[in-house]
Amino acid sequence: MIKVDLKGNSKEFEAGITAAEVAKSIGMGLYKSACAARIDGEACDLRTPLTEDCALEILTFEDPDGKHAFWHTAAHVMAQAVQRLFPGARFGIGPALENGWYYDIKAERPLSTADFEAIEAEMKKIVKADLPVEKRTITLEEGRELFAGQDYKLELLEEYAEKGWSLSVYRQGDFTDLCAGPHLMSTGALKAVKLLKVAAAYWRADATRDSLDRLYGIAFPKASLLDEYLALLEEAQKRDHRRLGKELELFAMLDEGPGFPFFLPKGMILKNTLIDYWREIHHRAGYQEISTPVMLNQDLWLRSGHWEHYKNNMYTTVIDETNFAVKPMNCPGGMLVYKTQPHSYRDLPLRMGELGLVHRHELSGALHGLMRVRCFTQDDAHIFMTQEQIKDEIKGVVQLIDQVYSLFGFEYHIELSTMPEDHIGELADWERATDALRAAIEELGREYTVNEGDGAFYGPKLDFHLVDAIGRTWQCGTIQLDMQMPERFELEYTGEDGQKHRPVMIHRVVFGSIERFIGILIEHFAGAFPTWLAPVQVMVIPITERAHDYAKALQQRLDEAGVRVESDLRSEKMGYKIREAQMKKIPYMLVVGDKEVEEGTVSVRARKEEKGGVMTADAFLESIRREIDSREQ
């Protein structure tokens, strides 16, 4: 017999019982809704036998690992449907994603959205058949026989075998796939399936290899959940920052610079307003601003470790027979700034902020508006401190990030990311750094989850995932605690004892990428920015030409008071002008005619109806200045 801990409730079972059988013993409702299991913290199949004492969780679709198994099975169902419709198709990889899955496929001809209806119909047949999903371990020779003619699978098979990995396959009916799992017990749970899009993707992300069709899909255990998701997708499309960025004249992505955004005048107002806010709060928090070069020599990147860990994402050139790299991060430059003068313990903590333009090579297929670009402004800061100051400095950064996200109305959650396999430094340093991050966040009373193995190569980190207006999450802020870079760069300070000591440092961002944060804000607000952030805050619209002089005088007065204002003096109908201003999502329109000229008033049409009505020009100016100064949402 073995003891199984079920969320604090210990039960005894005969050794060899599967996670599925445990679920069934608890109740048929749980068994029917179960997607996967977690044994001692590791996600696995429900078909996994329990052979020793363990902690067991039964995972439903509500759990991220449950969703992963659900969508991974759906990917196999889609591939099976494609195989039936296109018998000569060759299959690449088909992973589950945060929402749904994709599968890379090379069929006899290119696949398109015109094929979706037939593929979905075939998928529904497979679901209705409720085919059992079976797992087995194979040898390399068995794999070569099973996947004869499937060159992509054979390549993966040989690679996995060379690495010494266990080789396993999953089979459902007439379809077998090379896969580590986990998967559902059968195909019948996929009550609602939908293919979403198809895109081109190079095999192994290598532009010199075959181009495959990447089919994306989504599936749910209930049709109502699919309906909700599709409604969310529709809302997301309305908020798409690429479309709104063009309509609102904020930025452009041009063929002459793929992945390099062009900010237009209104977009620069938005960007500079964010930067002004950034400078204001950082000045209050005791940061000094620095600027470091965009390009530095290879020796620096070798010393920092970036050349070893990041060189494939770096742009390089040769100057005077010396190799240089365009910076993908600001931190090595920050190290050099610290070393420009000696420091005492009295100087610490030293907080240095930088709005640094960085460049990173991204594959063309990964580029996505402002969300995934090849150059962006990182709102970096590096804090140099003593061991004793670590906890307080982490707390200060958490509170600064909270201040910023709260201003924009974002809720967020925090992840503690621990040491990755590809790391530098001693285990003891990593443990001290991780414990410090954990202690600081717990003392602040903040909840967090642990993301094992996802830290930076030089240190553990706290990642801040904000939630936008329609429930999507975005990872923006991060606090990375680093004991490695100061060692590599031989940073020092003189302690109270007169001896030289090594400082500890924090790498941190709040916005992350300012360009990406702007993309998130566009979608969060659907382009209708709060007044303080809006590129144009007021549009003055005269009803007749007789009111033009009054409109111009209003515009001048508002402009002198620091309000961003334009006037629409075109000989168009007033209704047309109003609709156009609404389409531009301008917070306020001041409609003026003969009556307003005579009485010195303005007729205010506001996005927020409670702020509209007729008022004096003085009252409106006082009201909007108060709204801007308070950064009211």
Side-chain angles (χ1 to χ4, degrees):
M1 303 295 288
I2 59 172
K3 289 183 179 179
V4 178
D5 184 334
L6 296 158
K7 293 189 175 180
N9 182 20
S10 183
K11 288 190 175 185
E12 285 197 347
F13 296 94
E14 190 172 338
I17 189 171
T18 65
E21 289 167 335
V22 173
K24 189 181 289 186
S25 76
I26 296 171
M28 287 303 294
L30 178 61
Y31 173 71
K32 289 180 179 178
S33 61
C35 297
R38 194 179 288 124
I39 300 175
D40 291 334
E42 291 292 324
C44 61
D45 277 324
L46 287 163
R47 56 184 65 76
T48 304
L50 311 181
T51 57
E52 57 188 21
D53 294 352
C54 63
L56 173 67
E57 296 174 76
I58 304 300
L59 309 180
T60 67
F61 188 76
E62 300 305 312
D63 186 277
D65 283 332
K67 283 187 173 72
H68 186 277
F70 191 94
W71 285 329
H72 204 169
T73 302
H76 281 210
V77 169
M78 184 189 74
Q80 183 177 9
V82 171
Q83 186 182 68
R84 289 180 176 182
L85 295 169
F86 302 90
R90 292 176 288 150
F91 297 91
I93 59 172
L97 306 172
E98 185 178 349
N99 282 301
W101 73 86
Y102 73 74
Y103 213 123
D104 290 341
I105 301 170
K106 185 78 170 179
E108 301 97 302
R109 62 166 176 79
L111 301 176
S112 71
T113 54
D115 298 307
F116 284 6
E117 186 177 348
I119 297 171
E120 287 174 1
E122 198 63 40
M123 289 177 72
K124 288 172 184 175
K125 291 178 186 177
I126 297 166
V127 171
K128 187 176 181 180
D130 194 17
L131 301 174
V133 179
E134 301 163 340
K135 178 183 181 180
R136 69 184 178 96
T137 302
I138 60 170
T139 65
L140 179 58
E141 286 304 319
E142 286 176 312
R144 287 169 176 163
E145 185 177 340
L146 267 173
F147 297 106
Q150 289 287 339
D151 49 342
Y152 307 125
K153 293 294 180 186
L154 289 172
E155 181 179 326
L156 295 173
L157 183 76
E158 299 289 343
E159 183 180 304
Y160 298 165
E162 187 176 333
K163 290 179 177 178
W165 293 358
S166 175
L167 303 176
S168 60
V169 294
Y170 281 81
R171 177 176 174 271
Q172 57 201 42
D174 56 0
F175 181 77
T176 301
D177 205 352
L178 178 68
C179 185
H183 281 277
L184 302 178
M185 297 294 286
S186 70
T187 62
L190 309 174
K191 302 300 182 186
V193 298
K194 182 74 175 175
L195 299 192
L196 300 174
K197 64 177 181 177
V198 59
Y202 292 115
W203 173 236
R204 310 304 291 271
D206 185 344
T208 65
R209 306 288 301 273
D210 292 351
S211 178
L212 286 70
D213 297 317
R214 177 167 291 180
L215 271 64
Y216 291 84
I218 194 78
F220 293 94
K222 295 180 181 177
S224 60
L225 293 176
L226 176 60
D227 292 340
E228 290 172 13
Y229 180 79
L230 294 177
L232 179 66
L233 272 188
E234 186 178 351
E235 179 62 27
Q237 288 169 359
K238 292 177 185 176
R239 294 169 178 261
D240 190 318
H241 76 286
R242 294 167 298 179
R243 179 179 63 82
L244 288 172
K246 184 176 181 180
E247 291 176 2
L248 301 178
E249 301 173 347
L250 301 175
F251 69 91
M253 307 301 294
L254 304 178
D255 292 341
E256 291 80 358
F260 300 95
F262 288 70
F263 273 86
L264 308 179
K266 287 184 173 62
M268 279 307 299
I269 292 171
L270 175 59
K271 186 176 181 180
N272 285 333
T273 302
L274 281 174
I275 288 172
D276 289 344
Y277 170 63
W278 185 92
R279 287 196 166 110
E280 176 188 318
I281 60 174
H282 281 75
H283 175 72
R284 285 204 306 264
Y287 287 78
Q288 304 172 54
E289 188 173 354
I290 64 170
S291 177
T292 62
V294 171
M295 188 183 297
L296 294 161
N297 70 27
Q298 181 183 351
D299 288 344
L300 177 73
W301 303 108
L302 286 167
R303 196 184 336 166
S304 70
H306 287 93
W307 192 263
E308 178 185 355
H309 294 268
Y310 214 77
K311 64 182 177 183
N312 291 336
N313 292 89
M314 297 168 69
Y315 296 112
T316 60
T317 189
V318 177
I319 302 175
D320 296 335
E321 300 181 356
T322 300
N323 291 325
F324 277 73
V326 179
K327 66 177 178 181
M329 281 102 172
N330 298 304
C331 35
M335 307 288 151
L336 298 183
V337 171
Y338 181 90
K339 293 191 71 168
T340 57
Q341 55 186 314
H343 295 283
S344 155
Y345 71 93
R346 295 186 181 89
D347 302 325
L348 307 182
L350 178 61
R351 307 181 187 108
M352 298 193 301
E354 177 174 15
L355 295 162
L357 185 65
V358 299
H359 292 70
R360 299 179 185 177
H361 178 64
E362 298 282 357
L363 295 172
S364 58
L367 300 175
H368 181 77
L370 295 179
M371 304 301 195
R372 197 73 175 264
V373 292
R374 287 172 170 158
C375 77
F376 55 92
T377 308
Q378 198 165 40
D379 69 315
D380 246 326
H382 299 99
I383 303 173
F384 302 88
M385 61 205 162
T386 67
Q387 291 277 351
E388 295 74 24
Q389 294 167 334
I390 291 174
K391 197 184 297 180
D392 285 341
E393 287 305 303
I394 293 169
K395 288 180 179 179
V397 178
V398 172
Q399 290 162 344
L400 183 68
I401 291 174
D402 179 77
Q403 175 187 347
V404 172
Y405 291 178
S406 298
L407 174 65
F408 295 105
F410 290 122
E411 295 180 358
Y412 63 89
H413 66 269
I414 303 171
E415 283 185 355
L416 171 60
S417 298
T418 60
M419 185 177 73
E421 290 185 18
D422 182 25
H423 68 274
I424 59 176
E426 299 299 322
L427 180 60
D429 288 341
W430 277 85
E431 288 176 347
R432 285 201 304 275
T434 305
D435 288 344
L437 288 172
R438 182 181 285 109
I441 203 71
E442 287 179 354
E443 284 189 18
L444 286 171
R446 304 298 177 89
E447 293 183 358
Y448 66 93
T449 57
V450 177
N451 188 6
E452 296 287 358
D454 200 42
F457 71 85
Y458 45 75
K461 58 180 180 169
L462 294 173
D463 286 330
F464 293 75
H465 298 260
L466 56 84
V467 183
D468 71 12
I470 58 174
R472 298 169 302 181
T473 57
W474 309 89
Q475 195 272 303
C476 292
T478 188
I479 304 172
Q480 302 172 352
L481 187 55
D482 184 1
M483 297 182 182
Q484 312 307 323
M485 292 280 180
E487 188 70 35
R488 288 197 166 209
F489 282 84
E490 300 178 335
L491 304 188
E492 294 179 336
Y493 70 91
T494 304
E496 288 186 77
D497 58 2
Q499 301 300 309
K500 296 295 184 183
H501 298 271
R502 193 78 75 210
V504 180
M505 68 175 294
I506 285 173
H507 310 247
R508 46 109 296 190
V509 295
V510 180
F511 294 142
S513 153
I514 289 182
E515 287 75 5
R516 183 168 177 265
F517 198 78
I518 287 171
I520 293 168
L521 288 179
I522 292 170
E523 299 197 357
H524 178 60
F525 292 115
F529 301 109
T531 302
W532 72 274
L533 202 53
V536 179
Q537 295 162 327
V538 177
M539 178 66 76
V540 183
I541 302 176
I543 297 173
T544 65
E545 194 171 331
R546 294 189 299 276
H548 277 197
D549 288 343
Y550 184 63
K552 291 175 185 177
L554 274 174
Q555 179 179 354
Q556 182 176 347
R557 187 175 176 194
L558 289 166
D559 184 64
E560 289 171 354
V563 178
R564 296 189 287 271
V565 57
E566 295 180 356
S567 292
D568 190 342
L569 305 179
R570 296 174 300 168
S571 57
E572 299 283 355
K573 291 182 179 179
M574 187 183 70
Y576 177 81
K577 294 180 183 181
I578 289 173
R579 281 193 300 276
E580 195 166 80
Q582 288 172 333
M583 293 294 292
K584 292 180 179 178
K585 303 184 186 294
I586 296 170
Y588 291 98
M589 289 171 274
L590 302 184
V591 180
V592 294
D594 293 339
K595 184 178 180 182
E596 287 76 19
V597 172
E598 183 180 341
E599 297 177 356
T601 59
V602 290
S603 179
V604 182
R605 296 177 66 102
R607 274 204 320 246
K608 297 181 179 179
E609 290 185 9
E610 68 274 12
K611 292 184 175 289
V614 176
M615 60 184 77
T616 65
D618 288 342
F620 174 76
L621 180 54
E622 181 181 345
S623 173
I624 193 171
R625 272 281 21 133
R626 186 166 57 248
E627 184 177 344
I628 292 168
D629 293 342
S630 66
R631 297 194 175 97
E632 180 184 319
Q633 297 304 303

